[in-house]
Amino acid sequence: MSRPWQDTNPTWLTAQYGNARPHADRIRLHTVCSQDPRGWYSLLFDQLRQRTPADAYVFELGCGSGELWKENLPRIPTEWKLHLTDIFPGMLELAKRHLRDFRNARFELIDGNDPLPFPSDRYDAAVANHMLYHLISVSRTIKEIHRIVKKNGIFIATTTGPNHMARLFEIVRRFEPRFPERTITPRTFDTINGATLLRKEFTRVERTDCLDTLKIKEEHAQLAVDYIYSWHDARAVLPEERRTDLLTFFKDLIRMHGPLLIEKEQAIFLATK
């Protein structure tokens, strides 16, 4: 059974992100099993830190639980000011807790599909980490971000490509053929169209490909199960009572063939105004 991603569907988004637990389960698998020792949030922060002044004012659209800042808290310059936004109150509250020791942070509920209620030329940098593809009108939002970023300011936007995590979902379909096939492209913002969309507004766009692999060993099988069950539409064909069976399936597969190697396909776009 094939279907397109439902990234912009409000009901789907609420099921995925209205509760912080599923999001945390997905992050945990990547944190534990990714083979790149630098870590995604460290890579992202490096790009941001290298291109911003010591007293930067940084805006993030769709901050989620604030993992970017939580993972880099000791590295955030004390003179920086952060303005973090999200559409889901639960996510924003978690971000507040994660940054309770950083005093120069402001938090605000914002729907990225709406015009941004901020003055022009306000921020030194803006960030949208794995979230632009959740928007109905990406071009309109990119135009708004261009407006609120200062001259020579930057916008960092990240996304995934067609092969991202595809093998894991193929493996799960061996266990349950009714599991939805993830037809990943086209998305509203991905590795294929991202640069084109950004160049409509920004004078310079650079792309950094981040190709990594998850190495899922037997002791990580439970993380893989939690990841699969974190997807709202997966639970329609995998009721809770099948968790143990899926765990056994993963462990047996790993014992027979060795660790599961799952390709990740991500990109960081850095756009300069």
Side-chain angles (χ1 to χ4, degrees):
M1 179 174 61
S2 176
R3 66 146 182 84
W5 281 67
Q6 300 183 54
D7 288 333
T8 61
N9 182 302
T11 301
W12 189 86
L13 288 172
T14 300
Q16 288 298 117
Y17 298 104
N19 182 326
R21 172 67 184 275
H23 184 57
D25 285 342
R26 290 192 289 278
I27 290 174
R28 192 173 299 110
L29 179 68
H30 288 287
T31 300
V32 174
C33 297
S34 290
Q35 295 304 287
D36 190 330
R38 296 171 295 177
W40 175 252
Y41 294 109
S42 179
L43 281 172
L44 193 54
F45 189 84
D46 287 346
Q47 294 270 357
L48 184 63
R49 184 67 186 90
Q50 291 165 10
R51 307 295 184 96
T52 48
D55 60 349
Y57 194 4
V58 181
F59 171 80
E60 184 174 14
L61 184 66
C63 69
S65 57
E67 293 294 324
L68 170 61
W69 312 104
K70 172 190 169 187
E71 293 300 317
N72 292 286
L73 193 57
R75 304 174 62 199
I76 304 175
T78 56
E79 298 303 312
W80 273 20
K81 293 189 296 181
L82 305 180
H83 186 179
L84 309 185
T85 69
D86 202 273
I87 192 174
F88 296 110
M91 285 291 193
L92 209 58
E93 286 301 316
L94 192 53
K96 287 180 183 179
R97 292 203 294 272
H98 287 158
L99 275 83
R100 59 184 176 271
D101 294 328
F102 185 77
R103 292 186 292 178
N104 292 334
R106 172 188 172 192
F107 304 87
E108 189 169 355
L109 283 171
I110 290 291
D111 185 342
N113 289 301
D114 297 333
L116 299 176
F118 313 121
S120 300
D121 305 310
R122 185 178 197 181
Y123 303 98
D124 297 287
V127 178
N129 179 35
H130 288 306
M131 69 79 55
L132 286 181
Y133 45 68
H134 292 312
L135 301 176
I136 296 171
S137 178
V138 175
S139 294
R140 183 173 59 196
T141 301
I142 291 174
K143 189 178 186 71
E144 277 290 276
I145 290 174
H146 178 272
R147 179 184 63 79
I148 67 174
V149 169
K150 297 176 183 176
K151 177 69 174 175
N152 297 318
I154 62 168
F155 174 38
I156 294 179
T158 71
T159 189
T160 59
N163 297 315
H164 184 67
M165 302 294 291
R167 176 159 167 73
L168 182 59
F169 296 108
E170 291 171 4
I171 292 171
V172 175
R173 283 198 299 278
R174 296 186 208 167
F175 172 77
E176 174 48 77
R178 295 178 302 153
F179 188 83
E181 180 180 351
R182 305 194 74 79
T183 307
I184 296 182
T185 54
R187 304 177 88 178
T188 57
F189 185 87
D190 58 21
T191 57
I192 297 171
N193 60 22
T196 300
L197 290 167
L198 290 167
R199 288 192 179 108
K200 291 179 180 179
E201 301 297 334
F202 289 86
T203 57
R204 181 180 179 187
V205 177
E206 305 165 59
R207 169 175 167 165
T208 301
D209 288 313
C210 304
L211 304 179
D212 193 6
T213 301
L214 295 182
K215 186 175 184 180
I216 304 175
K217 302 178 182 178
E218 185 177 346
E219 60 265 33
H220 306 140
Q222 184 62 59
L223 299 180
V225 171
D226 293 342
Y227 179 93
I228 293 301
Y229 273 86
S230 76
W231 294 101
H232 170 63
D233 38 5
R235 296 192 291 273
V237 295
L238 291 175
E240 282 296 317
E241 55 266 26
R242 299 194 67 191
R243 272 184 183 265
T244 301
D245 294 338
L246 181 58
L247 178 61
T248 300
F249 171 79
F250 277 142
K251 287 186 174 182
D252 288 346
L253 197 62
I254 293 168
R255 288 177 191 139
M256 290 175 61
H257 302 290
L260 305 179
L261 301 178
I262 311 298
E263 290 184 5
K264 300 167 62 174
E265 184 181 11
Q266 302 175 101
I268 300 172
F269 290 101
L270 193 151
T272 304
K273 182 172 178 178

